[in-house]
Amino acid sequence: IKTIYEEAPQTHTMGDPIQLKDEGNKHFQTGDIDKAIECYTSAIKVCKDKKVLAVIHRNRSACYLKKENYTNAASDASKAIDVDAADIKALYRRCQALEKLGKLDMAFKDVQRCATLEPKNKTFLETLRRYTVNKKHTDMYSTTTFSTDSRVQNMFEILLDDEMEKDKREKAANNLIVLSREDAGAERIFQNNGVQLLLNMIETGKPEMILAAVRTLSGMCTGHKARAMAIIHMVGIDKICSIMAVDNEEIALATCNLFQCINDSLTGGDNREYGKEEALVLDASKDLKAILLSLLEMVASKKVSGHGRDQALNLLSKNVPRKDKKERDNSRALFTIDNGLKKILKVCGQVPELPDQLPLTDNTQLIASVLLNKIYDDLKCDPERTNFREISKIDPNNMDKTIHAINAISGLLQGPFDVGNALVGHQGIMEMMVALCGSEREVDQMVAVEALIHSSSKMSRASFIITNGVSLLKDIYKKTKNERIKIRALVGLCKLGSAGGDDYSLRQFAEGSTEKLAKQCRKWLCNPQIDTKTRNWAIEGLAYLTNDADVKDDFVEDEPAMKAMFELAKSKDKTVLYSVACTLVNCTNCYEKKEIIPELVQLAKFSKQHVPEQHPKDKKDFIERRVKRLLKAGVTSALAVMVKADNAILTDQTKELLSRVFLALSEDPKDRGIIVAQGGGKALIPLALEGTEAGKVKASHALAKIASISNPEIAFPGERVYEVVRPLVNLLQTDRDGMQNYEALRSLTNLSGFSEKLRVKIVKEHALPEIENYMFEEHDQIRQAATECMCNLVSCKEVQERYLEDGNDKLKLMVLLCGEEDEDLQRAAAGGLAMLTAAQKKLCTKMTKVTTQWLEILQRLCLSTDPRIQHRGLVVVYNMLSSDDSELVKKLIESEMLEILSVIGKAEDNPKRQDPIDVARTCLVKAMELGLIKPFSSPS
């Protein structure tokens, strides 16, 4: 009875694969592998569901592995993979079976796939490492059994062969980088043990090998989340940081780019569809946090070079604050404040003149200040800002070295000014500055004077320091023998002396004092014996003093001083950019000016309020003369170099200042050729695309001025000309002023007359609705500019289709504009109409239906005294005669048009009017061909 009872359920489950599978699982767990194989085999025979069948094959594969039947194990795993290519268990089982069968190349690919899908799985990573690192295996792969992609392998062999010629190695490195930038190429490198071989290249320690390897890794990580995650785990974040830490600017930059590519891929820069793999690609937030922590560690580490520190700070600047304030998540900024604010402040507090400091470049402390500012700006509420201030708080009594505290405050004053300002107000800080000013050590005096300068940025603060600090600075200036301290003390005096801005009546110092200070600054600026950093301070002094128009005028007359400033602006030390930009803005008077309303001035005087006064030398003719002097001294080439500076130093505020200067320089059309010749056109493009809204508009306006009268091929060589279109189209918005609209339209007219490709680009940037809008404008010049632009664009197929569409007044407007009094406007509209009717015969008929005045307007064009207008009107007539509308042709010939054609056609040849005469004759011949008129013959 017992036997029968036990057999019964088995016959019952013969047709149920799920139950058979479950039974097989139980046998597998208890270790009865043969019974498990039996159940799985029975289940496979009756299973119809592909997905279930794949699971059963995968399970039976595990059984065969236990039984060491590797051929069957690999076969079963393959059947599961055929159903689901991302079946990670099946992939790993096949990898194990293939390894035992000696098919190491195939096994390696399977485990690499596993590691790509699940980058944090230690088993996969260990197997990968075992395959790649174990020397015996590596030898085996590279000789016989590992049949890799020969081209990729060949490149690595050339690169890792010390005896290979240098140019062959360089070529192989470039090929590898290019290959990695295409998805298929990157995958080929990845699948062919590429990551390990790239690590081998890095281990050689040769800069050119490290650069090639890092750039190849960047290509492989770009736009591919799974591959980027796999590479992070195979290379290691610490390893990437150690590469960026080396004292080599090019390697530090390339590694910074690698981190950026990884960050972009992990934060959603990768938009590809992964399908089944999507669920297996793990959450990247832990990796992103680990990268952030590693970068913060680098910021304060003595093992990191100045270049490496700069790039770590740059990466934080780019990736910590939100790209857009509308994004809600500012957790990265809060995380950085909690975990790294002290480290960034430590960088600000470094005094390079003291021993045992962090390695820095000339730019490091400024980059750190900019980062502090960006993080502070990213905060959303008072509690967050209070927390920032609390962590930044400096207790004078607890500081190991007072000097570092004061220097850190200087950094905060250049970054989040509110925080620095609050700290300066704390009890004891001002006393510390005074104490340091009186110190015997020159380095203490230097740091204190710099802090005094930075803390006097606001009028209220300046007035407080004028009463307390001026005597201190004067004292230091007179007593010190050290030029470096002397110059800083002088800059402090300059800054305090210019606290009234360009208001002539608010001068802080006695008549003539500012000119004396400026003269001293110019003297230092021109002295090549003085170190660069100290000469930079001289420019800082001029940035304040040039608020005074006497100083501006003296400065532009001093060509050696201007050229010295431009050379410093081109040097590696970029901390000077803001001061140079401020000085140039002051000299060209292109700062934001408050509109002075006469009535309010009278009211202010009556109520004894302060009224700003303009200096006599700030009038238009003086400004124009200063612009000419700057251009002659080579200001444009200096600006072009400044624009190329790293984004962390070239802040949005500095970009706006540069844009203002460019606009002031391009005011006179005669000067635009010099600007183009010195690379100004090219330099304006990035300024017009990034920065503050005001800066972008100013740069776009300067671009419009240049593009309206220059040959685009010369002003914007190569593909750059297409980048100019978007900024120009942005100037067409209705909230821009009339001059900006007008010059944008003129420049688009110039570009659209240049090539079909440019016309298509203008249409793609959605310029048409804006241009059409300005064709209705009341302002004559703007309306004319818009019509001229449209005249050039109508040769575009897409534009013609807009005119063919029903339900709009575009064609009607063009016809009516041909009837305007203004000859320039008439000429532009007639040109557009001639091209439209030539390109689309249907428009000849449509033209007669949109307005009853069409014939009268056409006759006026043909009778114009301007031969260019007359010529265009006659071309329209010829297009109508050539259209397929016989009614229209008949109507035209029956009107007075025949008489007009006869009079013009019978006129004697005249070089000045030959074009209209020839077209009129062609029209008459066409009318004869159509049999509408006959040649006149006299009786015999």
Side-chain angles (χ1 to χ4, degrees), residues 561-734:
M562 281 194 290
K563 287 192 167 170
M565 181 172 87
F566 298 154
E567 285 312 307
L568 283 170
K570 293 175 185 177
S571 70
K572 271 194 169 182
D573 181 353
K574 298 297 180 190
T575 52
V576 75
L577 296 186
Y578 186 72
S579 306
V580 174
C582 286
T583 307
L584 292 172
V585 163
N586 287 341
C587 289
T588 52
N589 284 55
C590 56
Y591 37 73
E592 205 65 58
K593 299 175 191 75
K594 284 181 183 167
E595 193 183 346
I596 296 173
I597 301 161
E599 290 81 2
L600 289 181
V601 172
Q602 292 304 317
L603 190 64
K605 280 180 179 172
F606 178 73
S607 58
K608 295 189 168 54
Q609 293 292 317
H610 171 69
V611 180
E613 286 178 34
Q614 189 189 37
H615 193 292
K617 287 185 180 175
D618 272 335
K619 292 196 163 62
K620 197 178 176 190
D621 51 340
F622 280 94
I623 298 168
E624 284 172 1
R625 200 166 69 230
R626 288 201 287 270
V627 165
K628 305 280 182 208
R629 302 278 312 183
L630 284 165
L631 283 165
K632 186 170 173 266
V635 65
T636 312
S637 59
L639 290 169
V641 174
M642 289 165 77
V643 170
K644 290 177 188 164
D646 196 320
N647 248 1
I649 290 170
L650 194 70
T651 57
D652 287 352
Q653 286 75 16
T654 312
K655 286 180 192 169
E656 184 182 322
L657 295 178
L658 297 179
S659 301
R660 287 177 181 279
V661 175
F662 265 123
L663 184 56
L665 295 174
S666 57
E667 202 59 50
D668 184 346
K670 292 182 201 136
D671 296 333
R672 293 173 201 169
I674 304 168
I675 296 170
V676 167
Q678 294 181 353
K682 204 162 55 179
L684 273 165
I685 297 170
L687 292 176
L689 295 171
E690 288 174 11
T692 64
E693 198 51 42
K696 288 192 287 189
V697 171
K698 302 272 178 201
S700 300
H701 193 185
L703 267 179
K705 284 179 181 292
I706 289 168
S708 62
I709 61 167
S710 308
N711 178 342
E713 270 186 322
I714 295 167
F716 316 105
E719 295 295 303
R720 281 195 191 88
V721 70
Y722 302 105
E723 293 175 48
V724 178
V725 175
R726 182 171 298 165
L728 297 178
V729 174
N730 286 341
L731 282 182
L732 297 180
Q733 291 170 21
T734 44

Side-chain angles (χ1 to χ4, degrees), residues 730-746:
N730 286 341
L731 282 182
L732 297 180
Q733 291 170 21
T734 44
D735 57 349
R736 306 278 178 253
D737 68 46
M739 201 60 192
Q740 290 167 344
N741 300 156
Y742 173 67
E743 298 203 272
L745 288 164
R746 284 189 61 209

Side-chain angles (χ1 to χ4, degrees), residues 313-323 325 330 332-334 336-337 341 344 366-380 388 412 414-417 646-653 655 690:
L313 290 163
N314 278 341
L315 282 163
L316 293 167
S317 273
K318 278 181 193 168
N319 301 307
V320 169
R322 291 165 291 166
K323 298 274 181 289
K325 291 281 185 278
N330 72 333
R332 285 192 302 269
L334 300 177
T336 305
I337 291 166
L341 192 54
I344 302 164
L366 183 65
I367 298 172
S369 294
V370 172
L371 171 60
L372 286 170
N373 197 40
K374 283 188 172 180
I375 294 171
Y376 188 69
D377 274 354
D378 204 43
L379 303 179
K380 293 191 289 191
F388 188 106
L412 283 162
Q414 291 171 78
F417 186 85
D646 196 320
N647 248 1
I649 290 170
L650 194 70
T651 57
D652 287 352
Q653 286 75 16
K655 286 180 192 169
E690 288 174 11

Side-chain angles (χ1 to χ4, degrees), residues 292 296 320 330-344 372 375-379 384-392:
L292 190 51
L296 289 169
V320 169
N330 72 333
S331 57
R332 285 192 302 269
L334 300 177
F335 181 82
T336 305
I337 291 166
D338 290 338
N339 294 280
L341 192 54
K342 288 275 186 203
K343 289 169 182 159
I344 302 164
L372 286 170
I375 294 171
Y376 188 69
D377 274 354
D378 204 43
L379 303 179
E384 289 178 2
R385 292 186 193 99
T386 307
N387 185 37
F388 188 106
R389 288 192 197 101
E390 285 305 312
I391 297 175
S392 306

Side-chain angles (χ1 to χ4, degrees), residues 278-337:
E278 189 64 57
L280 295 163
V281 174
L282 289 178
D283 175 24
S285 57
K286 281 185 184 172
D287 286 322
L288 288 165
K289 201 162 268 188
I291 291 171
L292 190 51
L293 277 170
S294 298
L295 292 173
L296 289 169
E297 281 303 314
M298 284 186 78
V299 165
S301 165
K302 281 191 179 173
K303 293 175 185 169
V304 176
S305 72
H307 295 304
R309 199 175 323 283
D310 283 1
Q311 296 313 326
L313 290 163
N314 278 341
L315 282 163
L316 293 167
S317 273
K318 278 181 193 168
N319 301 307
V320 169
R322 291 165 291 166
K323 298 274 181 289
D324 183 356
K325 291 281 185 278
K326 287 174 188 168
E327 283 176 38
R328 295 213 161 175
D329 179 24
N330 72 333
S331 57
R332 285 192 302 269
L334 300 177
F335 181 82
T336 305
I337 291 166

